[in-house]
Each structure stands twice: as structure tokens, then as C-alpha cells.
Amino acid sequence: QRPSRPPSTDKRKMILDKITKVLQRGYVVIPSALNYIKSLIDYFEVPKDDDIRLVYNGTSCGLNDALWAPNFYLPTPAAAARVLGYGYYMVDIDLGEMFLNFPLHETLQRFSGVDFSHYSGDFCEDRLIGWVHWTRCWMGLKPSPYMAVRFYYLAEEFARGNRRHDDNALCWDFVKLNLPGDPTYNAPLPRVMK
């Protein structure tokens, strides 16, 4: 629970803007109990063009050393191209603030505290802040990529709907395999077709 470093005077306004943004959106919240937060995460700013990026360092408090995250498959452009055929459609989804779209487990929230006490005087008197904690998967947390992708795939499955309904544009009846070595293999076609 080491306190955070005081901000440099030239970066203070930019850091305050980033802190205000995560507070207003509810990504970090003021804890309900005084002893709720068990561990603090260090943060620092990194220059980014004419702005900064706040980096929350899960390694400084040892949190990432205590967590495990599985490896998981992320498709490459080549893997995506293998499933395309003539007349197929594809979409590229760039989700802004990807990790922050998904909730952080309540157990991890207690260990994902951040010390914003250097900025308490910059908020309204009724909104004095000190220690806050994350409610969303944050950048720098080891399992954040896995948790965000897992939740994303669940949301995508829900959005696709029931594949057996005829009124669903994404419906399909069977899977046809087109694999090398098969006598009916056709190289220009995708290897798996629905």
C-alpha cells in the first residue's frame, strides 16, 4: 500500500483529465468501506503524441505475480482469410477501451486499488477522493486480455442468435469440410464452410 508518486507540474492537468474520465465512467469507484482496498497499484504517465497515456502497473504491487492467465487463440489475418470464399462478408471490429468494457471480478477489485489522493483538491468538496478501486478489467492486469476476449466471444455468440431460426441471417444447417488430402478438396474454397 505504498502511496503514489506526486505528479509533475507540467503533466498534472493531463493526468487529472484521465483520472476524471475513469471516475465519471465508473471504471474506478470510491470504496464503500474504509478497509475494502487491500493493495494499491502504481501508475505513471507515458507520452503519446500531444497527450499522455496512464499506465497502471500491476507488477509493482506483486498482483500479477499472484495471478494466472491461460494462453488462448487469437486469429491472425491468414487464419481469417482461410475461412473466406466468394460472396462472403467479413467485419473488422475495433472496440475502444476494450478491457474497460468488461467487469472485473469482485475478488480482484479489493486488490486493484489506486491512490488518487494527490488530486483530491481538484474535485468538488463533496467528492473528495483518495483510494479508489477498479470495477473493470484494467490495462496492465495479467488476465485482462483473456477475460475481455472470453466475455467478447460470449457477447458475439449472443448477438449471432439461434442458428436454427430461418429468420436469422446467420442461420446454417450443416458444416462442410474441405480439407487437403480429401479427394473432393477444392483449394480456392474455405476449409470449413457452414
Side-chain angles (χ1 to χ4, degrees), residues 9 11 43 78 99 105 141 159 173:
T9 53
K11 304 273 197 238
Y43 63 95
F99 295 165
H105 193 276
L141 182 65
D173 297 319

Side-chain angles (χ1 to χ4, degrees), residues 3-194:
S4 63
R5 296 183 296 257
S8 59
T9 53
D10 57 332
K11 304 273 197 238
R12 182 179 179 81
K13 172 73 172 100
M14 288 189 275
I15 294 172
L16 182 61
D17 290 344
K18 304 292 182 190
I19 288 172
T20 304
K21 184 177 171 183
V22 295
L23 274 166
Q24 287 174 342
R25 293 184 177 177
Y27 299 154
V28 295
V29 296
I30 299 169
S32 55
L34 289 174
N35 60 351
Y36 182 80
I37 296 174
K38 301 292 183 195
S39 178
L40 291 176
I41 302 159
D42 184 31
Y43 63 95
F44 56 91
E45 73 276 356
V46 174
K48 179 183 150 189
D49 299 326
D50 295 333
D51 199 10
I52 61 158
R53 172 174 287 151
L54 273 185
V55 176
Y56 298 93
N57 186 5
T59 58
S60 65
C61 65
L63 181 59
N64 278 341
D65 293 338
L67 296 175
W68 175 80
N71 291 328
F72 60 94
Y73 169 74
L74 278 176
T76 63
R82 280 197 302 268
V83 298
L84 293 177
Y86 180 75
Y88 282 37
Y89 292 94
M90 190 172 188
V91 64
D92 177 26
I93 299 174
D94 183 10
L95 294 176
E97 300 177 345
M98 173 66 169
F99 295 165
L100 299 174
N101 286 298
F102 304 103
L104 183 64
H105 193 276
E106 193 173 306
T107 306
L108 286 177
Q109 290 181 19
R110 299 175 69 88
F111 298 96
S112 297
V114 186
D115 180 12
F116 286 162
S117 57
H118 294 295
Y119 302 92
S120 284
D122 296 301
F123 291 90
C124 304
E125 285 184 22
D126 61 332
R127 178 98 188 226
L128 289 176
I129 61 168
W131 289 6
V132 297
H133 67 86
W134 285 96
T135 60
R136 301 298 181 136
C137 295
W138 46 276
M139 294 288 290
L141 182 65
K142 186 192 282 185
S144 280
Y146 169 72
M147 290 189 291
V149 168
R150 183 184 65 178
F151 282 125
Y152 169 77
Y153 282 145
L154 285 171
E156 185 180 284
E157 187 175 322
F158 177 79
R160 287 179 189 224
N162 188 341
R163 71 170 182 89
R164 291 184 171 89
H165 284 178
D166 291 335
D167 59 345
N168 184 352
L170 302 173
C171 72
W172 51 275
D173 297 319
F174 63 94
V175 174
K176 182 179 178 188
L177 298 178
N178 179 37
L179 302 174
D182 189 321
T184 61
Y185 175 66
N186 189 345
L189 293 177
R191 293 189 180 165
V192 178
M193 296 173 278
K194 293 179 181 177

